[in-house]
Amino acid sequence: MKKNLPEFYVEICSPDSKYDVTPIYDTIKTLEGVYAGLPYGSSSGRWGDSGSTWTAQHGTPSGADITYYSRYEDVFYRLNVDFPIDIIKDYMERAYARIDDENGETQEYKKLGRAHKSSSGNAYDSFSDLVFGFAPKGMVVVWLNFGITRIEL
């Protein structure tokens, strides 16, 4: 079943290493109802980019239920959110430009559908990464990555 589902990678980051958080419980909700989750361990990297990837997850991300510990603040937080379904479905159909089209008619994005796979010969990248950014006071930012294009959800 997973072979027919779209693939994506998950990253967790924080603004600075002193603000690292550690997930205690996590589930990434998917439209297909299959399990997806966060990488093991604590946040890393820099704001918007953990610098590492984890095992591919499957499905269309539609929300998250995450309990995490902030060492910096010595407090637990819980994020339980559903992403706007219409927006997610729209983004999952898109592929964003990374190089100019050969014909010189580059568009910001094209609707190529979820079946589209990015390749080195293609000028457009489809959704590839879901990035969670954890900041002090329980602030969480979620980004969708399309190759070099990052969109805040």
Side-chain angles (χ1 to χ4, degrees), residues 39-112:
Y40 295 113
S42 299
S43 57
S44 62
R46 58 186 171 82
W47 192 237
D49 180 13
S50 74
S52 61
T53 58
W54 188 58
T55 306
Q57 304 298 294
H58 295 88
T60 305
S62 61
D65 187 359
I66 301 167
T67 301
Y68 62 97
Y69 176 68
S70 168
R71 276 176 260 171
Y72 177 76
E73 299 169 290
D74 192 27
V75 68
F76 288 89
Y77 289 103
R78 181 172 183 210
L79 169 72
N80 189 1
V81 64
D82 293 317
F83 304 147
I85 298 300
D86 291 341
I87 291 172
I88 286 294
K89 285 181 177 179
D90 179 49
Y91 278 127
M92 295 305 109
E93 296 290 318
R94 295 181 182 189
Y96 283 81
R98 69 176 151 82
I99 58 175
D100 288 336
D101 280 339
E102 291 177 12
N103 61 9
E105 297 178 13
T106 304
Q107 301 171 31
E108 177 188 8
Y109 67 87
K110 290 184 177 182
K111 293 267 192 164
L112 298 178

Side-chain angles (χ1 to χ4, degrees), residues 111-125:
K111 293 267 192 164
L112 298 178
R114 279 308 300 252
H116 169 72
K117 290 283 187 189
S118 300
S119 68
S120 58
N122 195 323
Y124 293 84
D125 285 328

